Amino acid sequence: ANLMEAYYEMAEAFLKEIETQGYTAMIYGSEDYILDDIIPDKLLQRYDVMLNDSSSMPEYPYLYKMWKYNNNLSVPGIEGVTGYIISFVDYSGR
């Protein structure tokens, strides 16, 4: 198997283990990372995506369920910087 196929197998094993533990497995990353380093036709069909993109309107060509849209915020009570994340799905019941 080539390197990308090995990467896919490791990523899927990790994501399956997260599900086995009772959590919702999700792929997180920027558009470039997801499209260049993930095998979209395999992992993106099965797992939700949390997109990290600070543009006003992402151009990501696939469906994403969560969006981290600001990565450099200062919030009182939190040390360092943080970001805003919006979820288009209610994961509390999953």
Side-chain angles (χ1 to χ4, degrees):
N2 66 31
L3 184 59
M4 285 302 290
E5 194 65 30
Y7 179 75
Y8 160 75
E9 290 171 7
M10 288 186 291
E12 178 143 65
F14 178 77
L15 292 163
K16 283 181 180 179
E17 181 61 25
I18 290 171
E19 291 179 331
T20 299
Q21 298 299 319
Y23 298 98
T24 300
M26 185 175 293
I27 297 169
Y28 169 79
S30 67
E31 178 180 344
D32 290 339
Y33 171 75
I34 293 172
L35 296 180
D36 294 341
D37 296 332
I38 302 286
I39 301 174
D41 61 333
K42 293 184 178 182
L43 290 178
L44 296 182
Q45 289 180 14
R46 173 146 187 221
Y47 298 100
D48 290 352
V49 168
M50 178 175 164
L51 184 64
N52 182 3
D53 188 324
S54 60
S55 64
S56 61
M57 181 54 73
E59 293 183 17
Y60 182 72
Y62 297 100
L63 181 65
Y64 51 95
K65 303 291 179 81
M66 294 180 79
W67 176 24
K68 184 174 183 184
Y69 60 91
N70 191 322
N71 298 315
N72 196 21
L73 294 173
S74 176
V75 176
I78 298 177
E79 279 190 44
V81 295
T82 188
Y84 281 147
I85 299 170
I86 187 170
S87 178
F88 303 105
V89 173
D90 181 3
Y91 286 101
S92 64
R94 290 185 172 192

